[in-house]
Amino acid sequence: MSKKEDILKAATLLFATNGFKDTSMVEVAKMTGAVSATIFYHFKSKEELFLSVLGSVKDGILEEFSHYFGEKKFVNGLEMLEGTVSFYLYLAGNKAEWFLLLHRYYPYKLAKENDTCRHSLEDIYNCFVDIFEKALVQGQADGSIGKLSPRKTALLILSTVDGMVRFKNCNLYDAGALYNELISTIRQMAANKNQKT
Amino acid sequence: MSKKEDILKAATLLFATNGFKDTSMVEVAKMTGAVSATIFYHFKSKEELFLSVLGSVKDGILEEFSHYFGEKKFVNGLEMLEGTVSFYLYLAGNKAEWFLLLHRYYPYKLAKENDTCRHSLEDIYNCFVDIFEKALVQGQADGSIGKLSPRKTALLILSTVDGMVRFKNCNLYDAGALYNELISTIRQMAANKNQKT
DNA sequence: AATAAAACTGACTGATTGATCAGTTTTATT
DNA sequence: AATAAAACTGATCAATCAGTCAGTTTTATT
């Protein structure tokens, strides 16, 4: 691994666990066995380092989901929906630092004035919502999912899993313990045949 | 309003919008027309100021909910559940600074080492979950809600509304636009008569 | 009015930190 | 081996900020 990748990895961990302001360049440097000036050689400022971190997290998430859906095959839309939810929760545990970073407020604040930041965040959340939506649309086509607004329902499901992951990351409640209830609720939503679109 | 209350109000706003580290005592002081030393006369440290802010947010939330349930009467558990969700979303808009503060990571990190902080957060989230749970239990008693685990379902609903509010505060998606879908989903959950407890 | 307590302030300090830069070491190319 | 480019470093700086304290003003009490 190159030094630049080393720095990026250390910075991801530190920004995720301590936040932007509470992470010093000296800290990041020490973790890679370098000196802070080295970081400023690779990244022109602390903010640029953060943007690179967020960009690499975006790439990682997009790649993970693309890999999962490249391998996995689903018998219908409902199973795809459940698979996506499971994979999201698995990823939130397996790549906890990514989701910790996304559950900090700093990226969203920076996004207000920085296009690069905003685009990374948009790519990440669009990836999530689009997959949920695709599963819902497919499910409506194959009959495994009833009438409902795919986009809004996708957002509602994302809100729920995002909230569950946040509660877990904040040490409030355990997301895993709600898994069965979540799946059960999704099936009830899917089974709905009466609602108008 | 006393100077101490003035400081507390200014600090709430600044901690909520800029975070703990990104809020300086000079900033808080300026907002109240005072000098930073004045704040240190009322609060012995920046951390103690933050704990006081969180405590006052806790008091505010508990009082708001107690006031709402003191006035409002519900015909059954399901209506109480829907009312609670609505009030939660209303409060998240009306007292945005409270929820912005609760959607920062700093309080939860501080809670790991500080009992006062942990207790405030516990009080707040227990207030939310307990009310949802109470509505679910009451609904099961009066027949408006089917068989399900009240505690886990309460947590699931809280995850959803918490996620929706976070998305809105982060400028990602509009929570209000999902209101109808949310209520509809809750009714489907409630209508479930087949599930084992 | 006298007195004490409470509230408040200006000036200051030590520590931290993002960033710079001249100079050194390492790597790649011929 | 010679050379150039890339990677890295030690020293340093200006700015920011939490916290202190001696001293002043305001408020309450008698």
Side-chain angles (χ1 to χ4, degrees):
Chain A
M1 197 189 296
S2 76
K3 195 97 205 173
K4 198 169 176 178
E5 283 169 325
D6 248 14
I7 294 170
L8 222 45
K9 205 176 164 185
T12 305
L13 203 65
L14 288 170
F15 283 146
T17 53
N18 301 331
F20 181 77
K21 203 76 183 230
D22 260 314
T23 298
S24 77
M25 298 302 258
V26 176
E27 248 182 301
V28 180
K30 266 187 188 152
M31 203 177 240
T32 64
V35 101
S36 73
T38 306
I39 303 185
F40 284 98
Y41 169 76
H42 289 288
F43 305 90
K44 79 168 197 286
S45 68
K46 192 183 180 183
E47 187 174 301
E48 210 210 60
L49 174 60
F50 182 83
L51 292 171
S52 296
V53 164
L54 191 63
S56 77
V57 167
K58 181 207 75 182
D59 292 341
I61 288 175
L62 264 54
E63 213 220 319
E64 285 281 353
F65 270 90
S66 135
H67 182 253
Y68 176 72
F69 286 99
E71 288 201 336
K72 197 97 179 178
K73 289 293 158 206
F74 305 98
V75 296
N76 59 33
L78 179 56
E79 283 218 359
M80 180 180 169
L81 184 62
E82 292 180 15
T84 309
V85 166
S86 300
F87 186 67
Y88 185 102
L89 292 175
Y90 154 78
L91 208 64
N94 198 250
K95 305 280 182 184
E97 67 279 11
W98 293 353
F99 289 79
L100 262 169
L101 195 77
L102 292 173
H103 280 142
R104 293 197 159 269
Y105 189 69
Y106 181 79
Y108 307 94
K109 203 187 172 194
L110 185 60
K112 289 177 188 173
E113 54 179 44
N114 184 293
D115 291 349
T116 311
C117 183
R118 198 178 62 253
H119 286 132
S120 286
L121 291 174
E122 278 172 2
D123 287 350
I124 291 170
Y125 284 95
N126 282 339
C127 168
F128 294 152
V129 181
D130 288 349
I131 292 175
F132 284 134
E133 189 180 8
K134 196 177 286 179
L136 285 159
V137 170
Q138 190 181 310
Q140 289 181 327
D142 64 35
S144 61
I145 291 173
K147 278 182 184 170
L148 38 74
S149 162
R151 190 73 185 172
K152 287 185 176 180
T153 306
L155 281 169
L156 198 65
I157 294 174
L158 181 60
S159 300
T160 308
V161 290
D162 178 273
M164 279 169 58
V165 170
R166 192 179 88 87
F167 282 166
K168 192 190 172 192
N169 285 343
C170 291
N171 296 308
L172 284 168
Y173 306 109
D174 182 24
L178 297 178
Y179 180 75
N180 291 334
E181 270 69 22
L182 175 63
I183 293 295
S184 155
T185 301
I186 286 176
R187 285 185 189 157
Q188 282 165 40
M189 281 174 64
N192 176 39
K193 310 278 179 184
N194 310 321
Q195 200 184 339
K196 302 250 169 72
T197 18
Chain B
M1 197 189 296
S2 76
K3 194 99 204 171
K4 198 169 177 177
E5 282 169 326
D6 248 12
I7 294 170
L8 221 45
K9 205 176 166 185
T12 304
L13 203 65
L14 289 170
F15 282 147
T17 53
N18 300 331
F20 181 78
K21 203 75 184 238
D22 260 313
T23 298
S24 77
M25 298 302 261
V26 175
E27 249 181 300
V28 180
K30 266 187 189 150
M31 203 177 241
T32 64
V35 100
S36 72
T38 306
I39 302 184
F40 285 99
Y41 170 75
H42 289 290
F43 305 90
K44 80 168 197 283
S45 69
K46 192 182 181 185
E47 188 175 302
E48 210 211 59
L49 174 59
F50 181 84
L51 292 172
S52 295
V53 164
L54 190 64
S56 77
V57 168
K58 182 207 73 181
D59 291 341
I61 288 176
L62 263 54
E63 212 220 320
E64 284 282 355
F65 271 89
S66 134
H67 181 253
Y68 176 72
F69 287 99
E71 288 201 336
K72 197 98 178 177
K73 287 295 157 203
F74 305 98
V75 294
N76 59 33
L78 180 57
E79 284 219 356
M80 179 179 169
L81 184 62
E82 293 180 17
T84 309
V85 166
S86 301
F87 186 67
Y88 185 101
L89 293 174
Y90 155 77
L91 207 64
N94 198 251
K95 303 281 182 183
E97 68 277 12
W98 293 354
F99 288 79
L100 262 169
L101 195 78
L102 292 173
H103 279 143
R104 293 197 157 270
Y105 189 68
Y106 181 78
Y108 308 93
K109 204 185 170 195
L110 185 60
K112 288 177 189 173
E113 54 179 45
N114 185 294
D115 290 350
T116 311
C117 183
R118 199 179 60 253
H119 285 133
S120 287
L121 291 174
E122 279 172 2
D123 286 351
I124 291 170
Y125 285 96
N126 282 338
C127 168
F128 294 153
V129 181
D130 287 349
I131 292 174
F132 284 133
E133 190 180 5
K134 196 177 287 181
L136 285 160
V137 169
Q138 189 181 310
Q140 288 182 327
D142 63 36
S144 62
I145 292 174
K147 278 184 184 171
L148 40 73
S149 161
R151 189 71 184 174
K152 289 186 174 179
T153 306
L155 281 169
L156 199 66
I157 295 173
L158 180 60
S159 299
T160 308
V161 290
D162 177 272
M164 280 168 58
V165 170
R166 193 180 86 87
F167 282 166
K168 192 189 171 193
N169 284 343
C170 290
N171 296 309
L172 285 167
Y173 308 107
D174 181 24
L178 297 178
Y179 181 75
N180 290 335
E181 271 68 24
L182 174 64
I183 293 295
S184 154
T185 301
I186 286 175
R187 283 184 190 157
Q188 282 164 39
M189 281 173 63
N192 175 40
K193 310 277 181 186
N194 311 319
Q195 200 185 340
K196 304 251 171 68
T197 20

